[in-house]
Amino acid sequence: MDNNDFPILHQKVNDEDLVYLDNAATTQKPKAVIEAMEKFYYEDNANVHRGVHTLAERSTEMFEAAREKIRAFINAKSSKEIIYTKGTTDSLNMIAQSYGENVHEGDEIVISILEHHSNLIPWQQLAIKKNAKLKYINLTDDGELDMKQAEELITDKTKIVSVAHVSNVLGVISPVKKLAELAHKHGAVMVVDGAQSTPHMPIDVQDLDCDFFAFSGHKMLAETGIGVLYGKEELLNEMTPVEYGGEMIEFVKKYETTWNELPWKFEAGTPNIAGAISLGYAIDYLNGVGMQKIADYEQQIVSYVLPKLLAIDDLEVYGPTDPKKHTAVISFNLKGLHPHDLATGLDMEGVAVRAGHHCAQPLMTYLGLSATARASFYFYNSLEDADKLVDAIIATKEFFKDGTI
Amino acid sequence: MALSRMDNLYRQVILDHSDNPHHHGELSDKTNDIELKNPTCGDVLKLDLKVEDGKIEDAAFSGYGCTISQASASMMTDAVIGKTTEQAENMVQTFSSMIIGDDVDTDVLEDAATLEGVSKFPARIKCATLAWKALHKALNK
């Protein structure tokens, strides 16, 4: 696919053409989004929902239009179900704090061992606070969620099931629709961490039948500091706000307050207006490309690069070896070399990857690793980028071999 | 190719230290010890010291980390054994200055001075300083 809309990708780092493969961390922004943000600040900026003046009306309209675009993008029933947050982490914390009030002593929360810390610590701390039990779904040998175990773990004691739609380390897709069915059968709610899925595939929250769904704008072409919490309207209506302040009120008296209606009940204070609008433009851009086309194209990249990586001697690749079970997030290590050394080598060749524990320390411990290198593609990457990754890994391997032996 | 730039980072002496680290292990008669973690990468460094009469009689390190952090720990232990704690603290200062690119006399650091090239790789500075931070903390514990 074309990457001419992404100016940042056309530069040299360390004398080599940049190959940006850190998209699971954050994505680059197309000109359309950058220019729309510039235009917003040049022409339209004002606080939302407050003023009667023209600019305030204009920015409010843009802010709410973006919410409607987001609703359509994930096929929520109503834009009341779309709450602006700072990002996935913020969204998940909000659910744990607010819906978490329904969890009591002896109740159980089920998550999986491959969770990002942002979908782990909120539940772990909630369990500690409420004297509830936190249970983990483990993985099969191929790195997929062990659904047999999930069926045993999710019981009538379960109040919340929360799982990543796509692992930010292994790239494996979780059967969240199936998990939602299981959760509902036992009267629990299903929370989906969609940070790594929403940018890469069509999302239909009604089809998944999840109760909550969280994702971030910056991983899908928008600015940082904007994210979304989707929740079913009837659940959000029953929940209490997490933050108090401006915007989220209906009427404030000296000793009591009534809340604004959804979604504003959960949006205290001046929101990230430009961020929300940027997410609207990012969605326009993604719709222009087509989400199914993006998913298909990334599948093509995985099918191309995964066998090549698996064929490199001394390269350990984690997660499913079947490309069909993989999104374009691939973690690996060169035997005998720390991933930071590998990542520095790749950087010298112009290839940007992440190295570390990827905010998933329990998964690292479970896999017996302390860190991995991770390449993550987006639709603006090419098969040539995949070749450059493979070549750079081999060159780095040779460098350390020659240097040490 | 650009990979050749790494020669400044991974000099032979650094790779030697990483492959065959000196003073790797634990001390049964340690007087001071510390375990430091690098939260960004998950690396762990454990440092044992035997300090007597204000002098570092012995040192050993263990844990898990990258080439730079392992080599740095190896070279640091080499350099500080036999030094007074005051000398060692001065070396911590010298190393900290060197690694951010300040022009300092690095002779006192012995092999550790070869990590000077790390200053050109900002993302790796923490890897190199972990051992020296551990030394500073262990001495002040």
Short mmCIF file of all heavy atoms in Angstrom, two decimals, chain A residues 192 223 232 286 311 347 374 377:
data_model
loop_
_atom_site.label_atom_id
_atom_site.label_comp_id
_atom_site.label_asym_id
_atom_site.label_seq_id
_atom_site.Cartn_x
_atom_site.Cartn_y
_atom_site.Cartn_z
N VAL A 192 -13.09 -6.04 26.84
CA VAL A 192 -12.10 -6.33 25.81
C VAL A 192 -11.11 -5.17 25.69
O VAL A 192 -11.51 -4.02 25.52
CB VAL A 192 -12.78 -6.59 24.44
CG1 VAL A 192 -11.73 -6.82 23.36
CG2 VAL A 192 -13.73 -7.78 24.53
N GLU A 223 -3.75 11.42 17.45
CA GLU A 223 -2.80 11.96 18.41
C GLU A 223 -2.72 11.08 19.66
O GLU A 223 -3.61 10.26 19.91
CB GLU A 223 -3.24 13.36 18.84
CG GLU A 223 -3.19 14.37 17.71
CD GLU A 223 -3.48 15.77 18.20
OE1 GLU A 223 -3.94 15.94 19.35
OE2 GLU A 223 -3.24 16.69 17.41
N LYS A 232 -21.83 -0.74 27.20
CA LYS A 232 -23.26 -0.85 26.90
C LYS A 232 -24.03 0.19 27.72
O LYS A 232 -23.76 0.36 28.92
CB LYS A 232 -23.76 -2.26 27.24
CG LYS A 232 -23.36 -3.29 26.19
CD LYS A 232 -23.92 -4.66 26.53
CE LYS A 232 -23.51 -5.69 25.50
NZ LYS A 232 -23.74 -7.08 25.97
N LEU A 286 -8.74 5.87 7.77
CA LEU A 286 -8.76 4.40 7.81
C LEU A 286 -9.93 3.85 6.99
O LEU A 286 -9.78 2.85 6.27
CB LEU A 286 -8.85 3.90 9.26
CG LEU A 286 -7.59 4.12 10.11
CD1 LEU A 286 -7.88 3.82 11.58
CD2 LEU A 286 -6.44 3.24 9.61
N ALA A 311 12.95 -19.16 9.48
CA ALA A 311 14.03 -19.85 8.78
C ALA A 311 15.42 -19.36 9.20
O ALA A 311 16.44 -19.96 8.83
CB ALA A 311 13.86 -19.67 7.27
N ASP A 347 18.51 -0.79 14.56
CA ASP A 347 18.41 0.66 14.45
C ASP A 347 19.52 1.21 13.57
O ASP A 347 19.32 2.13 12.76
CB ASP A 347 18.47 1.29 15.85
CG ASP A 347 18.29 2.80 15.81
OD1 ASP A 347 17.37 3.27 15.11
OD2 ASP A 347 19.05 3.52 16.49
N ARG A 374 10.61 -6.86 19.24
CA ARG A 374 9.27 -6.98 18.64
C ARG A 374 9.17 -6.09 17.41
O ARG A 374 9.42 -4.90 17.49
CB ARG A 374 8.21 -6.56 19.65
CG ARG A 374 6.79 -6.61 19.08
CD ARG A 374 5.78 -5.97 20.01
NE ARG A 374 5.95 -4.52 20.08
CZ ARG A 374 5.26 -3.72 20.89
NH1 ARG A 374 4.38 -4.24 21.73
NH2 ARG A 374 5.45 -2.42 20.90
N PHE A 377 4.00 -4.31 12.30
CA PHE A 377 3.76 -3.67 11.01
C PHE A 377 2.43 -2.93 11.00
O PHE A 377 1.54 -3.20 11.81
CB PHE A 377 3.72 -4.72 9.90
CG PHE A 377 5.04 -5.43 9.67
CD1 PHE A 377 5.45 -6.45 10.52
CD2 PHE A 377 5.85 -5.08 8.60
CE1 PHE A 377 6.66 -7.12 10.31
CE2 PHE A 377 7.06 -5.74 8.38
CZ PHE A 377 7.46 -6.75 9.24
#
